[in-house]
Amino acid sequence: MARRLGLAFGFMLLAADLMAQTTLLSDSLQEVVVTGTGTQHLLSQAPVQTEVISGRTLRHYGGRSLEDILGGLSASFAFNEGDMGSQMQMNGLGNQYILVLVDGKRLHGDVGGENDLSLVDPHNIERIEIVKGAASALYGSDAIAGVINIITKKHDEALLVENSTRLGSYADVRQHNALGLASGRLKSYTNLQVQHSDGWQNTATEWTPSSTDPITDSRSKTVNRHTNWQLAEQLSFELTPRLELTAGGSLYEKDINRPKGKYPKYDVKTFDMHYANASAAVGARWKMGGDDVMTFDVDWNRHAYYHQFTATTLAEGFDDQGRLILDYPYFEGQRSLQSDQRRLMAHLKAVVALPARHRLSAGLEARYDYLKAPTSIARGTASDNTEALYVQDEWSCPVKRGTATLHLTPGLRLNRNEGFGFRLTPKLSAMLDCGALRLRASWSQGFKTPTLKEMNYRYVREMTTVILYLGNRSLRPQTSDYFSLNAEYTLGPLNLTATGYVNRLDNMITLVTIPRTEAPADYREQYGEMLGKVRRYENMEDARTRGVDVSLRYAAKDFTAGLGYSYLDTDAHVYDNDHERLVSVTIDGMAHHKANLFATWTHTFSPAYRLGVGLYGRLSSKRYYQVDGDGKGYQTWRLTTTHDLGRSRLFDYRLEAGIDNILNYCDRTPHGLHLGTTTPGRTVYATLTVRLKKGKRIKFNNTKFNSNKQQQNEED
């Protein structure tokens, strides 16, 4: 009895403390978000449910990569870091259905349906906005599962020089270097990032399809040794107080080194991987008056992928007359282009306020895609172009004598694709704002045309037998319907959100095994009986994902804590070639339960020293796969510390140090089978950041949402 009274008394004291403390939660709800509607809203008033990973959270967490940040701080994501990209899932759907934006512009780096998220410098992220569900009405193709918008830091210092060096286990090195200059109307920001890891091997056991006994001395690594660097430049010029011009560009290269084993059919690697990216962009922003604005952007991007041969190899290539030879000899040091993807986009958008509480957004887009793959496309190249017109209205109306406000956001997009003609994708979002309680509902349709690779690509994978993968020019577009209901409640320092959703996807594109007689004649002649399987992209699946996402957060002056939980269930209809019928299966990579937990504490001991401590947990149940075994469930815990040291008038110093995977969990599943997580076990890291900043650029004027609160949060 005494124990119960003590607990009750403790809860009463906690409740009183929650109501009495000056909190940071209200500051977070006043943060400006843009992704859900393409226009600026305070987070508390956003009519489309938006999950935000704030700059304050990012600084406490100290993530080594974007995969680390999203997987550790949001329960909706799952990753398996691999050579070809991030292998990301969001609420049950994979990379090809997730649109990744950087400051509202598409990230370009797709290889084999994977996004290379190392293109994003984690040190330069101001916040991350996540909108789940089909967003095709605003963003077009690829936004069926949702949108991730990386908002980068904005720098207005007259002079900024910044260096951040992170060192961690397995020779993990992360370098961020920046130079910012601002004078009068001109502003420049130059960013150089370098990343390296020696990789790691969780097990020397490798599963082989042709034998019941795996090999036990494989040299294959769980994550291979890799190095990448990126140099980026951003320029802006205020031509007039209302008109700003922008330009930018970047260069990026990445090398992945694969160790050579002694088993020719399994772990002998005869080539490394090399990636080369480039981008260029120009734009303009015209403030027409009030909150009315018009923007125009043109972006060009290139992503090229090469095989860098490390031994004499017979592979697809061309002779002196330009004829394709399936067993063309390459020698050590030579390089073979596998794919060169290029994209040119132009976007014109206007946002204007209309009478009777309406705000209209309208835009025009044009996109041209080009793919060069000399050894994998019949004619060597393929291209596609898409145009779109979209319109969206945001309307708000007081109800119940002004005690609540109803927000409606309908939108419509008209696409015209070169190969698939016209398509309309509507959406409708609604929010009832009752102060502490906000209720949201959304319905949206998604539309995704087949990629150039899915239609045209063909390549050979040689294992114990030869597997040939073929594109299909008869593919149909994929469509989806997304429904969600959300409730959000805020009481003092507590914030609770719960979202239920259903996403129905039709005409899913998947690889289906077909008879060997349907393979191209040159492949049948070259490989003969060694051609064990032929697989072709087909519209053979539909899928349903449904689930519930819940988050709870408490934010006081020096202490924050929270948890996120995601329940997911999926089913898909897949063609069973052996029995010539559709069968019901779960979507590969699905886990029913995922969660993340965190608690952070900060305290300023003196003007010269501020300490922050954080504990983060990440948990996942078993991940299901149709073949090659399921991924094991796991939990990992991370301890972080931050130390702001000796802040002076010009210099800021910051030291971060921590231990990841405190409990030393490691998945020892043999190579070739599925992992729950690729973590190598317990690792340590330390980061030192030195920042010189001097003065502020004097602007013509400040916009409504250029909040001093955001700058104060950054200082904190």
Side-chain angles (χ1 to χ4, degrees), residues 173-177 192-196 227-230:
V173 180
R174 309 274 162 159
Q175 267 279 334
H176 161 85
N177 302 276
L192 171 65
Q193 66 155 327
V194 180
Q195 302 177 356
H196 171 83
T227 304
N228 60 274
W229 62 266
Q230 183 183 51

Side-chain angles (χ1 to χ4, degrees), residues 73 83 176 185 226 245 319 350 444 446 524 561 607 622 684 709:
L73 296 175
D83 290 339
H176 161 85
R185 304 182 182 187
H226 56 274
L245 306 179
D319 62 14
S444 53
R524 296 200 309 270
K622 179 171 63 176
V684 297
K709 188 181 297 292

Side-chain angles (χ1 to χ4, degrees), residues 70-292:
L70 291 173
L73 296 175
S74 176
S76 300
F77 292 94
F79 292 91
N80 268 348
E81 187 176 353
D83 290 339
M84 300 298 288
S86 63
Q87 299 180 24
M88 173 171 54
Q89 269 201 350
M90 178 179 179
N91 282 357
L93 294 177
N95 281 79
Q96 64 269 38
Y97 302 109
I98 305 169
L99 178 60
V100 182
L101 306 174
V102 178
D103 292 326
K105 299 178 182 179
R106 289 169 174 259
L107 181 71
H108 185 69
D110 179 29
V111 176
E114 306 289 348
N115 288 312
D116 185 359
L117 298 183
S118 59
L119 286 161
V120 180
D121 183 354
H123 193 88
N124 199 37
I125 301 174
E126 177 181 301
R127 69 181 186 275
I128 301 173
E129 299 179 8
I130 303 164
V131 175
K132 300 166 187 175
S136 295
L138 275 181
Y139 296 106
S141 189
D142 306 329
I144 284 179
V147 178
I148 304 167
N149 194 5
I150 314 298
I151 310 298
T152 61
K153 295 178 180 177
K154 306 301 182 287
H155 304 278
D156 282 322
E157 295 86 357
L159 172 63
L160 169 68
V161 180
E162 188 175 49
N163 171 265
S164 179
T165 302
R166 175 186 172 120
L167 302 176
S169 303
Y170 299 98
D172 188 79
V173 180
R174 309 274 162 159
Q175 267 279 334
H176 161 85
N177 302 276
L179 173 64
L181 300 170
S183 177
R185 304 182 182 187
L186 182 65
K187 184 169 68 171
S188 167
Y189 181 73
T190 307
N191 180 32
L192 171 65
Q193 66 155 327
V194 180
Q195 302 177 356
H196 171 83
S197 173
D198 278 352
W200 56 84
Q201 184 187 53
N202 289 347
T203 179
T205 303
E206 183 160 357
W207 177 79
T208 58
S210 64
S211 174
T212 57
D213 297 321
I215 60 176
T216 57
D217 55 351
S218 170
R219 292 195 62 200
S220 297
K221 287 190 172 185
T222 306
V223 173
N224 283 317
R225 187 172 187 265
H226 56 274
T227 304
N228 60 274
W229 62 266
Q230 183 183 51
L231 178 64
E233 171 67 27
Q234 291 290 329
L235 293 168
S236 66
F237 181 73
E238 292 184 346
L239 188 63
T240 72
R242 293 181 178 270
L243 180 61
E244 181 181 37
L245 306 179
T246 59
S250 68
L251 295 172
Y252 169 93
E253 290 196 4
K254 181 175 184 178
D255 288 292
I256 299 174
N257 307 113
R258 309 192 305 163
K260 181 190 294 186
K262 63 181 181 180
Y263 299 96
K265 291 185 177 181
Y266 310 119
D267 66 340
V268 168
K269 312 297 192 302
T270 59
F271 61 87
D272 291 336
M273 300 176 180
H274 177 78
Y275 300 88
N277 285 27
S279 69
V282 294
R285 179 181 177 86
W286 176 34
K287 303 171 186 175
M288 297 183 288
D291 291 333
D292 298 348

Side-chain angles (χ1 to χ4, degrees), residues 34-41 47-48 138 349 361 392 394 409 427:
V34 298
T35 309
T37 62
T39 56
Q40 293 179 325
H41 287 275
V48 177
L138 275 181
K349 178 182 177 180
S361 301
Q392 173 186 267
E394 299 175 64
T409 309
K427 76 156 194 174

Side-chain angles (χ1 to χ4, degrees), residues 1-7:
M1 184 66 178
R3 183 180 180 184
R4 293 180 181 177
L5 289 175
L7 288 173

Side-chain angles (χ1 to χ4, degrees), residues 439-681:
L439 302 174
R440 298 179 176 91
S442 291
W443 166 71
S444 53
Q445 287 191 338
F447 175 70
K448 177 175 171 57
T449 57
T451 66
L452 289 174
K453 285 192 172 183
E454 289 169 341
M455 290 190 295
N456 299 282
Y457 219 56
R458 64 182 188 182
Y459 66 98
V460 170
R461 182 181 179 188
E462 296 190 40
M463 297 178 65
T464 53
T465 60
V466 174
I467 303 176
L468 172 64
Y469 297 88
L470 298 174
N472 184 356
R473 295 193 61 83
S474 299
L475 291 173
R476 302 186 302 279
Q478 302 167 90
T479 59
S480 71
D481 277 280
Y482 177 81
F483 306 87
S484 71
L485 292 173
N486 165 264
E488 180 179 4
Y489 184 70
T490 303
L491 177 62
L494 284 173
N495 177 260
L496 172 66
T497 65
T499 305
Y501 64 89
V502 175
N503 203 352
R504 302 190 304 185
L505 179 59
D506 294 314
N507 289 325
M508 279 187 71
I509 295 174
T510 187
L511 284 165
V512 173
T513 301
I514 62 174
R516 287 185 296 174
T517 55
E518 297 186 25
D522 51 354
Y523 286 90
R524 296 200 309 270
E525 293 173 3
Q526 175 69 31
Y527 293 105
E529 293 301 320
M530 292 179 59
L531 185 58
K533 186 178 292 187
V534 181
R535 309 200 75 196
R536 183 170 62 200
Y537 287 104
E538 300 281 1
N539 292 104
M540 295 303 295
E541 295 186 351
D542 59 59
R544 306 290 183 270
T545 67
R546 49 195 173 270
V548 177
D549 292 339
V550 178
S551 70
L552 175 65
R553 186 182 179 195
Y554 165 73
K557 183 178 180 180
D558 292 331
F559 177 75
T560 63
L563 64 88
Y565 169 74
S566 178
Y567 170 77
L568 173 67
D569 190 30
T570 70
D571 62 80
H573 291 97
V574 184
Y575 187 73
D576 182 347
N577 195 70
D578 294 334
H579 301 90
E580 298 184 346
R581 64 180 182 181
L582 290 174
V583 296
S584 181
V585 299
T586 59
I587 294 178
D588 277 351
M590 182 209 74
H592 282 303
H593 308 280
K594 295 192 295 292
N596 65 288
L597 305 91
F598 72 91
T600 65
W601 176 78
T602 59
H603 186 73
T604 301
F605 289 91
S606 71
Y609 181 60
R610 181 180 177 89
L611 170 67
V613 180
L615 179 66
Y616 300 85
R618 180 182 176 190
L619 302 87
S620 175
S621 61
K622 179 171 63 176
R623 300 183 68 186
Y624 293 90
Y625 292 89
Q626 297 174 43
V627 296
D628 294 340
D630 297 325
K632 298 176 182 178
Y634 66 91
Q635 61 171 302
T636 59
W637 294 87
R638 177 190 190 118
L639 177 67
T640 68
T641 64
T642 61
H643 311 263
D644 292 293
L645 306 167
R647 181 175 293 186
S648 67
R649 188 173 66 87
L650 293 179
F651 287 93
D652 292 342
Y653 305 92
R654 184 179 178 87
L655 175 65
E656 302 171 6
I659 305 173
D660 199 7
N661 197 352
I662 300 171
L663 301 180
N664 199 30
Y665 173 77
C666 186
D667 191 339
R668 307 291 184 184
T669 300
H671 297 290
L673 303 179
H674 293 294
L675 302 175
T677 174
T678 59
T679 174

